[in-house]
Amino acid sequence: MKIGLFGYGKMGKMIEQIAQGRGHSIVAKIDDPSQDVDYASMDVAIDFSTPEAAFDNITNCFKNNVPVISGTTGWLNRFEEAIKICNDNKSAFIYASNFSLGVNIFFELNKHLAKMMAELDQYKVAMEEIHHTQKLDAPSGTAITLAEGIIENTSYQNWKLEQSGDKIIPIKSIREGTVPGTHSIAYKSSVDTIEIKHEAHNREGFALGAVIASEWILGKTGVFSMKDVLNLS
């Protein structure tokens, strides 16, 4: 498989290493929007670029019959527009706030627990996420996805950073050291606490998931998620 990388930072370099280890080749490394892009050389594109570049990177691939795997956050106000361009061009797309296989299982576990807790008003939910000091956005995209999973399955209506309130999920964001990513959800009552947690040991899991998604999407048409890739019901 021939992969075009859009964004060649730490994640791009790790994806390159893992992809080559699985027998794939990197045919383009696009780290500047002004670079010329040979779309015809690519079987698939993996985008971990910047919020400013992501929409154009993704939609230009669709227009050139290149399926896209994207983990870039901060551009999702144009997500529906990108989906329309994908469908209009009969291309294929997977977006995920986190491509880690373990995190995507954790997403489903979170939703299942939320359904179980939905009618137990004595428990109040709170979330915490910890990342390295170079991560500037807060809360993380993964934390937002987890909060949305709770909102979909309970009477909670919104999430707030470092704030609590009626029908609000408080999210605490911590930035320390070189932590690759830790997310926890706790349901607390006066008598006990139920907690689930995912702790990444390194960033390899994120990169591996993105490469597995790119292998899965070949030959397909449409918009998919990691839930499809992992066949999670």
Side-chain angles (χ1 to χ4, degrees), residues 9-153:
K10 290 180 181 179
M11 181 59 73
K13 292 179 174 66
M14 188 164 290
I15 288 170
E16 177 181 36
Q17 178 183 344
I18 288 175
Q20 290 175 338
R22 293 173 68 90
H24 308 308
S25 59
I26 306 301
V27 295
K29 302 170 187 177
I30 312 300
D31 214 22
D32 182 339
S34 65
Q35 282 180 248
D36 291 332
V37 180
D38 181 10
Y39 295 100
S41 68
M42 304 176 193
D43 295 319
V44 65
I46 300 180
D47 172 76
F48 277 87
S49 58
T50 64
E52 296 76 22
F55 179 82
D56 286 342
N57 289 341
I58 292 164
T59 55
N60 285 336
C61 286
F62 294 155
K63 293 171 185 176
N64 285 276
N65 300 311
V66 179
V68 179
I69 307 300
S70 177
T72 305
T73 59
W75 66 278
L76 295 182
N77 59 315
R78 303 189 74 182
F79 184 71
E80 295 301 326
E81 188 179 350
I83 287 176
K84 183 178 186 306
I85 294 170
C86 175
N87 290 331
D88 287 348
N89 287 275
K90 295 181 173 56
S91 192
F93 185 36
I94 295 175
Y95 169 80
S97 60
N98 192 316
F99 278 93
S100 160
L101 307 186
V103 164
N104 280 277
I105 293 169
F106 190 62
F107 285 154
E108 298 308 307
L109 177 62
N110 171 60
K111 291 178 184 177
H112 186 65
L113 179 58
K115 291 176 184 177
M116 295 173 67
M117 303 301 293
E119 304 301 323
L120 301 176
D121 294 336
Q122 66 268 42
Y123 288 90
K124 304 302 178 187
V125 70
M127 294 175 54
E128 180 181 275
E129 57 99 348
I130 309 171
H131 281 87
H132 51 85
T133 54
Q134 292 180 325
K135 185 173 181 60
L136 301 179
D137 60 313
S140 67
T142 300
I144 293 172
T145 300
L146 288 164
E148 289 172 344
I150 296 170
I151 290 166
E152 288 170 9
N153 293 287

